[in-house]
Amino acid sequence: MKKLIAASLVGLGLTVSATALAEPVKVGMITTLSGGGSGLGVDVRDGFLLAAKMAGNKDLEVIVEDDARKPDLAVQIADKMIQKEKVDVLTGIIWSNLAMAVVPSAVGQGVFYLSPNAGPSMLAGKGCHENYFNVAWQNDNLHEAMGGHANSAGFKKTFILAPNYPAGKDALTGFKRFYEGDVADELYTKLGQTDYAAEIAQIRASGADSVFFFLPGGMGIAFMKQYAQSGVDIPVMGPAFSFDQGILGAVGDAALGVKNSSQWSKDIDNPANKAFVEAFKAEYDRLPSLYASQGFDTANLILSAMKKADVKDADAFRAALKDAEFDSVRGDFKFDSNQHPIQDIYVREVVKEGDVLTNKIIGIGLEDRSSAYVEDCKL
Amino acid sequence: MTLALLIEQLLNGIQFGVMLFLMAAGLTLVFGVMGLINLAHGSLYMIGAFLCASVALATGSFWLGLAASLAGAAAAGAVVEIVVIRRLYDRDHLDQVLATFALILIFSEGTRWVFGSFPLYLDIPQALQGAVALPGGAQYPLYRLSIIIVGVLIAIGLYLLISRTRLGMRIRAGESDREMIGALGVDIRTLYTVVFALGAALAGFAGALVGAIQSVQVGMGEPVLILAFVVIVIGGIGSIKGALIGAILVGVVDTLGRILLPELFGLFMGPSQATSVGSALASMAIYILMAVILALKPQGLFAAGAQ
Amino acid sequence: MSRETVINWVLGLGLLAVPFIALMQGEPFYITLATRVAILALAGVGLNLALGLGGMVSFGHAAFFGIGGYAAGILATHAFNQEPLLAWPLTVSGSSDMLVIWLVAIAICALVALVIGAITLRTSGVYFIMITLAFAQMIYYFAISWPAYGGEDGLSIYVRNGFPGLNTLDPIQFFLICYAVLMACLFISARLRDSRFGAALQVARQNPDRLAATGIAPFNIRLVAFVISAAMTGLAGALFADLNRFVSPSMLSWHVSGEIMIFVILGGVGRLFGPLAGAALFIVMEFYLGGITEHWQLFLGIILLCVVLFVRGGILGIMAGRRVHA
């Protein structure tokens, strides 16, 4: 899908003249809009476009295209956007494997890449690049925060499971990096697995006092429903991915009371966030998700840099991005030397507001967390 | 591992197998009677789940949703048969694979267009919530036990349908000699539509049952489809009995493989390496099983006169 | 010249012309697109040998496509990091020379195809379709869960592999390499088809008993054809990895097997240039539909369905008329 957004058409156009640096910024967004996992891409896109609309800066031009979650298609679109559309900034990719396919060659060709979701360890450490910025998190972050939470909740014997692929292994490593108790058992499931009866039976038999899992997308929905039906009552926790707004409705009451970690929540108390949640509800008639907040922040980061520098002056624009002088909806936000965020990661609990399942913050998992790979990055 | 846990895992394997059987039965029936490979069978499974979820959401009743999924999938199957599939019977397998591959694209994207990109909510009915105590002290979810029972009932029903009824007689005749039953005055076009709709209804029913414990989302049919193919190939294409035994075999091997292989490797290597290697091997286990069976019996376990 | 020959020339020269026109128009992106067409057509040419000539409906050619890709990715990574691939019993180092990579890709694919073929070719019909699919799935899951080379995340090739005397980073030169390989494989296919081996293979498809009666075992003929077919598809995989500078398990997924099959069928099964026509049409549709609507897969599905139902014999079937030979 191609959407050319001339943001001034819909915005108020009052602040436009203040940004006298005339060169327009062309942003190419490659994201997953069709097939499995398209809900995430839709949210990132909607959040991003909302920010563009609210800013009303007509110098920001956005092209959106669907990668259908295929790495080779994403690479093709990236090449097209760089070579044909001559974009200055790329963004939008949801999945680590697609990011790994696109980012190294894209930043090599001189464009900026701002990640609104994926944060593979390679790009945070050895493979970091001056033109690569991550506006969401390093992949391990949310899991690390859950490890911190498990300590403060007093868990001593946690059963941990994740799918058998790199992000799954990173998740369990991240959890164990901060967790001080014992691991009851460590289980890797098949990627895309939908039946967890066997794993749940093992959890029941393990004598664990808590369960940590990372099962993104449909896997997590299936696991939570089956876990609730199994009658096992060991407390469950996990990163926000399985408990976020887009997915909670499908998990249903099975998710009630589950603790999950996230750098954002709709009840974070700051003006930027309040305005974002209200505007998102008004614009799209649903509650924003974590992914929408990340898309929103990404757009605002670009807008903030546009105010300070001309995108054709790459060094100045890079410095402006790095300053990150924008009001992030998650509150305090700054970049570490590897250009990944330093931010608080909260622990949320799934609650019901009227008929709608949503999250509320109950504490902080890790404060001012950067990433484990920052030492490996030579920036 | 205790005996009770082993029994529970065995039950899990059987239940997984029964779910696969519901998918595989339709697939193998369609292949046996019409000689057609239908990759879009997984789409009918998805349609069943989406119908059940949306009707259950609108009416509040899972049972109405289940009925809707049966009827809706059967209707979708009949329409697809009349519009598309009918033209494929006298084509080679290659055209069938491609045409039904195209159907997958159409159904997946069409479903997403209608229902949106987010997974739907579907929960098991109130009456089947909770767990029952097994001998030996373990708890087993009532819903899963019900799936096993329903699956076995359907297997018996299909057996009776095919061996005892007039329709079944025609189906059997169609399997052994397609031209002949046409010559005998049986309305073969209607027969094919009915068989295809029956297969579709079974797939939709399975989708609804499974949707309640898994995620109702676009693309949910594809992994199951591939497993169902493995099942019918192991069982012998066209054989309902083969499909049942193949399904249970695949279900049990997959479930026990997931649990036992990592433990097995744990005996002679470090725990994290063992989980890694064990899980990798477990995800390949059923394909290895299939390769071994076909290497020994190229027509599957119970070949039913398939060509 | 028959009509089909004319069309083949048009297709071949047309593909060659695209990058140069693109360069003149200042639209270098179309060079990438043409390169993609050439590479995917090559994968199709490989499958066409098994499928069109030998009647072996392999639903698992993604396995070879992916293995070829991983051969390129793994060798290049080791060369880039200067780590030997194998330290014992003899030192094998990585390589960033395309010629070496191609040889390795071809050799490994041939070997794997020999094993897979030896098992799968005992079956026929639907069983063959499904068991080839099963082998591809096995390799797919292995690649996902094997951590050494990135698993699901895939493996980046930081610098495109080199070719003696050429600058592969230049899109046109890389295109020409791919184009030359495609043409070479088309030439080999044509020679094979017209050789005694090709004749035997076609008889093995049409009437295996008759072939057996002449003292040639159909199994062996098929196996050899399957191995050559896999090697060509593997070569395409190696080039594809270099094009994207990336390889991941998605190259091994069953969708890719389906797509390679689509190239062949769209173009016309058993036609020499069929895969080229099919791949070109598919890529162009994917490219333009993707630019128009996010529901492009729906329309792609409808178009494919109509082609199968109403256009028998694919694009070359319509344009060149019914095939002269059986």
Side-chain angles (χ1 to χ4, degrees), chain B residues 31 37 39 83-84 87-88 91 93-95 97-99 101-106 109-110 112-113 222 225-226 229 233 236-237 276 280 283-284 287-288 290-291 294-296 298-300 303 306-307, chain C residues 51 57 59 119 122-127 129-131 133-135 137-138 141-142 145-147 254-255 258-259 261-262 265-266 269 293-302 304-305 308-310 312:
Chain B
F31 186 84
I37 314 180
L39 293 185
V83 177
V84 177
R87 300 166 206 273
L88 295 171
R91 302 288 190 86
H93 292 323
L94 199 55
D95 282 358
V97 167
L98 185 60
F101 188 81
L103 281 177
I104 295 183
L105 293 179
I106 296 172
E109 204 47 47
R112 203 175 71 79
W113 208 340
E222 289 174 21
L225 172 79
I226 294 191
F229 271 120
V233 168
I237 299 177
S276 200
S283 61
M284 294 157 57
Y287 300 106
I288 298 173
M290 169 173 168
L294 284 200
L296 299 175
Q299 297 285 298
Q307 59 278 70
Chain C
L51 198 150
V57 185
F59 205 173
I119 299 172
R122 293 161 47 89
T123 66
S124 61
V126 186
Y127 290 93
I129 300 179
M130 290 308 148
I131 193 169
L133 173 66
F135 272 104
Q137 287 293 104
M138 224 187 301
Y141 280 114
F142 177 74
S145 47
W146 192 35
W254 71 280
H255 281 269
E259 279 175 13
M261 215 185 239
I262 288 174
I265 303 172
L266 258 185
V269 178
T293 160
E294 71 180 80
H295 299 293
W296 57 278
Q297 293 193 349
L298 177 67
F299 299 101
L300 186 67
I302 293 173
L304 280 180
L305 189 60
V308 187
L309 290 184
F310 305 114
R312 308 203 49 177

Side-chain angles (χ1 to χ4, degrees), chain A residues 117-336:
Chain A
N117 197 55
S121 52
M122 187 70 184
L123 296 176
K126 263 199 306 191
C128 67
H129 191 280
E130 56 175 9
N131 278 3
Y132 173 79
F133 291 82
N134 187 308
V135 197
W137 22 254
Q138 200 281 314
N139 280 354
D140 299 5
N141 284 162
L142 302 194
H143 315 299
E144 292 169 342
M146 234 42 230
H149 167 74
N151 294 336
S152 50
F155 293 134
K156 294 276 174 268
K157 196 178 174 198
T158 305
F159 191 106
I160 57 180
L161 78 158
N164 194 19
Y165 77 125
K169 288 177 186 156
D170 288 351
L172 298 194
T173 316
F175 179 80
K176 288 188 288 187
R177 190 172 291 137
F178 283 83
Y179 177 56
E180 289 155 0
D182 291 329
V183 170
D185 202 352
E186 185 173 339
L187 214 61
Y188 289 106
T189 61
K190 187 163 120 180
L191 189 67
Q193 184 176 322
T194 48
D195 195 274
Y196 293 93
E199 286 75 11
I200 291 168
Q202 276 195 307
I203 291 173
R204 193 201 323 259
S206 69
D209 63 2
S210 54
V211 178
F212 169 80
F213 77 96
F214 165 63
L215 296 165
M219 294 185 276
I221 299 177
F223 176 81
M224 276 315 295
K225 279 163 113 175
Q226 291 163 24
Y227 192 80
Q229 289 155 11
S230 71
V232 181
D233 52 7
I234 304 167
V236 182
M237 57 191 163
F241 313 118
S242 297
F243 305 96
D244 206 55
Q245 209 58 52
I247 222 171
L248 268 180
V251 182
D253 288 352
L256 267 181
V258 175
K259 313 282 191 296
N260 63 92
S261 54
S262 171
Q263 85 287 5
W264 176 85
S265 183
K266 81 176 185 358
D267 57 343
I268 293 179
D269 194 10
N270 66 49
N273 196 35
K274 284 200 175 105
F276 162 62
V277 174
E278 284 313 310
F280 194 93
K281 276 198 285 196
E283 182 77 21
Y284 303 108
D285 198 26
R286 63 175 196 270
L287 287 174
S289 69
L290 177 67
Y291 312 106
S293 84
Q294 291 162 187
F296 190 82
D297 272 357
T298 306
N300 278 325
L301 175 63
I302 297 174
L303 288 160
S304 76
M306 285 168 67
K307 280 186 197 145
K308 299 170 80 172
D310 185 341
V311 73
K312 301 298 173 210
D313 181 355
D315 290 332
F317 196 75
R318 187 180 306 119
L321 283 173
K322 198 151 188 188
D323 285 346
E325 277 181 24
F326 70 105
D327 294 326
S328 170
V329 293
R330 69 195 94 169
D332 293 339
F333 180 100
K334 63 173 189 271
F335 283 119
D336 203 342

Side-chain angles (χ1 to χ4, degrees), chain B residues 169-247:
Chain B
M169 203 174 73
R170 287 177 179 166
I171 289 175
R172 275 179 292 144
E175 279 176 342
S176 44
D177 194 337
R178 232 163 279 168
E179 282 80 29
M180 199 56 191
I181 65 162
L184 287 174
V186 174
D187 180 356
I188 198 147
R189 287 166 76 98
T190 316
L191 175 69
Y192 282 4
T193 310
V194 168
V195 170
F196 196 84
L198 178 67
L202 284 175
F205 186 67
L209 283 184
V210 170
I213 54 173
Q214 293 180 1
S215 168
V216 181
Q217 61 183 10
V218 173
M220 64 185 282
E222 289 174 21
V224 194
L225 172 79
I226 294 191
L227 288 180
F229 271 120
V230 172
V231 163
I232 64 170
V233 168
I234 286 179
I237 299 177
S239 158
I240 295 279
K241 180 171 136 203
L244 182 62
I245 291 170

Side-chain angles (χ1 to χ4, degrees), chain B residues 112-177:
Chain B
R112 203 175 71 79
W113 208 340
V114 174
F115 291 95
S117 303
F118 298 95
L120 296 192
Y121 173 72
L122 178 63
D123 198 8
I124 58 179
Q126 203 61 43
L128 297 177
Q129 303 267 9
V132 287
L134 292 181
Q139 299 274 313
Y140 199 73
L142 183 58
Y143 187 75
R144 285 178 186 270
L145 209 57
S146 318
I147 289 183
I148 298 182
I149 295 167
V150 169
V152 171
L153 287 179
I154 286 181
I156 295 171
L158 274 178
Y159 169 76
L160 292 178
L161 177 81
I162 287 171
S163 62
R164 298 287 159 80
T165 65
R166 206 174 175 78
L167 176 66
M169 203 174 73
R170 287 177 179 166
I171 289 175
R172 275 179 292 144
E175 279 176 342
S176 44
D177 194 337

